[in-house]
């Protein structure tokens, strides 16, 4: 029985499919400023102590991968040299110590996420070292309160290692599957079997992981409706708690790895919308709740419950919970948000090590939000996470008259209202079921910076 019915109107999906931000932050990362440095970050941490009860969230970026996935646009380093990981780990420990020294000891570390690259490029012993370094420097919250998650390439671990990861304190795990079709896997240089993934997922459940997730990508070379339908059937049979189905953005001019994909293998442009329609239909009819954009979850999952009770948020990992946390980014390219600022670390390991050798935080750039930024971020979060904007609530929090302040945005959204995607009422903007695929388009109306290079973003549908 369907948990969520999302009407799919192909002509409207095509109409509104244009470049736009994913709104994992506002302002978005391209607007971070080079003038922002480690001194600005320290000031932000000091300001965060005005709210001493705010817990902490830590994101750690592990950039290494054993092999190159041709579709990948992430920040990664392809290497078989395990010494590089060992050296990087030593520097991560230094950054942990520098960061922890800035925060009051009573600030609980509630949320931890390892991303990449391939976090499981690190051995379990190295991951244990890293968790121990964090535990020594930060005040971990009680085990039942924690959300400690890890992204896993199924090709890099075995079932025994999964159990060991649970023993380290991780309670959420995400497996990068992308597609089960072997032809598609070969075309993107990422071959892994269904049996391999199924065994790892079973091991994760046996070990007591609270949440097991699967990542998929639609729009990859050689994908067909039939082949991806088979992948979806296999994933549904595995019954992960969450599924992220990402749209592949083929931009070989920007990402060198994608040039290894043969042009003749790429599906026609209309195929992506067909695959999106298929994905939404199959997953919602299988009982998954459509959280928004590319995220689905079982009704009892924490993400679904957060969507229901209004505590859903977006951060640099996508849809998430724990909006009350200050987020610390550790490792190359990692992004954090503390108080009213965003910060991003340097982008190469050489720069990273140079900063830490000098005893300085490896901050490359960042952004201090103005009152207007806070206002627009609040509205965009309401759109992206809750599918509606309560004008009175925004007015009360920010001291504005909503319809006056956002007159231009509301006028720009009239076309979406005429198309039956949203309603603009006296005190509410509501996204209708048929408009939930176009959340990014609605949010874009409130983005003051969108004119500054919108073409750099992926397409919205």
């Amino acid at each position: 029985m369907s948990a969520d019915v999302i009407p799919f109107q192909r002509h409207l999906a095509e109409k509104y499919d244009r470049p736009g931000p994913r709104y994992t932050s506002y302002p978005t990362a391209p607007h971070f400023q080079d003038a922002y440095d480690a001194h600005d970050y320290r000031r932000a941490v000091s300001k965060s102590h005005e709210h001493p009860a705010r817990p902490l969230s830590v994101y750690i970026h592990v950039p290494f991968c054993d092999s190159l996935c041709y579709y990948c646009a992430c920040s990664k380093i392809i290497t078989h040299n395990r010494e590089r990981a060992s050296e990087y780990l030593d520097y991560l420990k230094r950054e942990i110590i520098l960061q922890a020294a800035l925060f009051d000891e009573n600030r609980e570390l509630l949320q931890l996420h390892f991303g990449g690259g391939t976090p499981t490029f690190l051995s379990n012993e190295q991951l244990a070292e890293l968790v121990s370094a964090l535990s020594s420097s930060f005040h971990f919250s009680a085990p039942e309160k924690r959300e400690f998650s890890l992204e896993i390439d199924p090709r890099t671990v075995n079932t025994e290692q999964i159990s060991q990861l649970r023993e380290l304190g991780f309670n959420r795990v995400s497996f990068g599957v992308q597609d089960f079709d072997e032809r598609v896997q070969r075309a993107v240089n990422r071959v892994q079997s269904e049996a391999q993934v199924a065994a790892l997922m079973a091991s994760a459940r046996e070990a007591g992981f609270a949440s097991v997730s699967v990542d998929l990508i639609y729009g990859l070379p050689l994908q067909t409706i039939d082949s991806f339908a088979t992948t979806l059937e296999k994933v549904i049979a595995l019954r992960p708690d969450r599924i992220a189905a990402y749209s592949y953005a083929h931009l070989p001019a920007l990402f060198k790895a994608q040039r290894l994909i043969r042009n003749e293998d790429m599906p026609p442009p209309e195929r992506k919308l067909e695959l999106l329609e298929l994905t939404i239909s199959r997953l919602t009819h299988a009982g998954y709740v459509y959280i928004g954009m590319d995220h689905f979850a079982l009704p009892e999952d924490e993400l679904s419950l957060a969507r229901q009770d209004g505590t859903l948020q977006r951060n640099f990992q996508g849809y998430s919970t724990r909006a009350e946390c200050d987020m610390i980014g550790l490792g190359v390219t990692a992004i954090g948000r503390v108080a009213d600022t965003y910060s991003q670390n340097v982008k190469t390991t050489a720069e990273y090590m140079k900063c830490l050798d000098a005893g300085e935080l490896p901050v490359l750039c960042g952004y201090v939000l103005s009152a207007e930024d806070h206002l627009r971020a609040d509205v965009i979060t309401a759109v992206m996470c809750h599918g509606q904007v309560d004008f009175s609530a925004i007015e009360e929090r920010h001291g504005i008259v909503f319809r006056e302040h956002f007159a231009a945005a509301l006028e720009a959204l009239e076309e979406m209202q005429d198309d039956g995607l949203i309603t603009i009422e006296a005190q509410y903007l509501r996204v209708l079921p048929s408009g939930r695929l176009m959340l990014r388009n609605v949010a874009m109306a409130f983005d003051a910076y969108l004119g500054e290079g919108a073409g750099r973003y992926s397409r919205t549908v």
Side-chain angles (χ1 to χ4, degrees), residues 107-330:
R107 301 278 296 273
E108 286 190 340
L109 197 162
L110 187 64
Q111 191 176 51
L112 174 65
H113 183 80
F114 281 61
T118 305
T120 44
F121 185 93
L122 300 178
S123 67
N124 278 24
E125 291 74 19
Q126 289 173 321
L127 287 168
E129 277 186 58
L130 205 44
V131 171
S132 177
L134 287 163
S135 179
S136 298
S137 296
F138 289 98
H139 174 201
F140 278 13
S141 63
E144 66 273 11
K145 292 169 59 181
R146 298 176 196 165
E147 182 184 299
F148 284 11
S149 60
L150 183 79
E151 297 172 11
I152 290 184
D153 178 342
R155 302 171 300 173
T156 65
V157 295
N158 57 38
T159 54
E160 182 182 355
Q161 287 171 294
I162 294 293
S163 298
Q164 291 169 354
L165 290 171
R166 181 69 189 97
E167 291 169 7
L168 289 180
F170 292 100
N171 56 9
R172 294 179 179 274
V173 65
S174 175
F175 293 102
V177 171
Q178 324 315 353
D179 195 307
F180 276 131
D181 186 271
E182 190 175 345
R183 291 177 68 244
V184 176
Q185 291 181 351
R186 286 199 302 268
V188 297
N189 197 39
R190 188 187 176 101
V191 178
Q192 60 202 5
S193 72
E194 178 193 356
Q196 185 179 19
V197 173
L200 293 173
M201 288 181 65
S203 177
R205 295 197 186 285
E206 290 168 13
F209 278 85
S211 178
V212 178
S213 305
V214 163
D215 291 348
L216 302 174
I217 299 178
Y218 64 90
L220 290 175
L222 300 180
Q223 274 181 343
T224 66
I225 297 298
D226 289 343
S227 75
F228 202 62
T230 300
T231 287
L232 289 170
E233 287 172 13
K234 290 177 178 179
V235 169
I236 290 167
L238 293 171
R239 209 62 180 168
D241 300 280
R242 300 177 186 178
I243 299 170
Y246 299 108
S247 170
Y248 172 57
H250 189 57
L251 300 168
L254 291 180
F255 304 111
K256 190 175 180 180
Q258 295 183 358
R259 297 171 202 168
L260 297 170
I261 293 174
R262 302 193 314 166
N263 287 331
E264 57 267 33
D265 289 344
M266 286 302 298
E270 64 273 14
R271 177 75 45 78
K272 283 184 74 174
L273 287 178
E274 294 169 352
L275 291 169
L276 174 60
E277 182 176 9
L278 172 74
T279 300
I280 292 171
S281 174
R282 292 292 174 90
L283 294 183
T284 55
H285 279 87
Y288 285 88
V289 175
Y290 179 57
I291 302 299
M293 287 184 56
D294 32 41
H295 284 53
F296 301 80
L298 292 175
E300 63 273 18
D301 184 83
E302 190 178 16
L303 213 56
S304 297
L305 299 177
R307 176 173 171 256
Q308 287 176 20
D309 65 23
T311 59
L312 190 67
Q313 68 145 341
R314 280 185 70 72
N315 62 23
F316 299 101
Q317 283 80 59
Y319 282 105
S320 181
T321 56
R322 311 293 199 274
E324 74 276 18
C325 295
D326 280 318
M327 189 168 76
I328 302 167
L330 301 172

Side-chain angles (χ1 to χ4, degrees), residues 435-446:
R436 288 184 57 200
L437 293 177
M438 293 81 170
L439 288 175
R440 292 162 72 182
N441 299 80
V442 180
M444 286 160 62
F446 299 97

Side-chain angles (χ1 to χ4, degrees), residues 324-342:
E324 74 276 18
C325 295
D326 280 318
M327 189 168 76
I328 302 167
L330 301 172
V332 292
T333 75
I335 298 177
R337 176 171 183 174
V338 174
D340 60 354
T341 75
Y342 298 110

Side-chain angles (χ1 to χ4, degrees), residues 363-413:
V363 176
L364 173 68
C365 59
Y367 192 93
V368 181
L369 279 77
S370 66
E372 181 70 12
D373 293 328
H374 278 291
L375 164 61
R376 290 177 180 269
D378 200 0
V379 175
I380 287 171
T381 295
V383 170
M384 298 296 296
C385 295
H386 315 310
Q388 69 173 32
V389 183
D390 180 337
F391 299 170
S392 297
I394 297 292
E395 289 171 343
E396 185 176 340
R397 287 197 291 269
H398 298 278
I400 63 157
V401 177
F402 193 96
R403 283 185 166 276
E404 291 180 5
H405 197 94
F406 291 113
L410 295 174
E411 183 179 354
L413 287 168

Side-chain angles (χ1 to χ4, degrees), residues 32-50:
F32 292 0
Q33 297 169 347
D34 293 339
Y36 185 102
D37 60 17
H39 299 292
D40 296 302
Y41 180 77
R42 291 175 188 274
R43 281 194 290 271
V45 174
S46 295
K47 186 171 182 180
S48 78
H49 291 147
E50 296 172 6

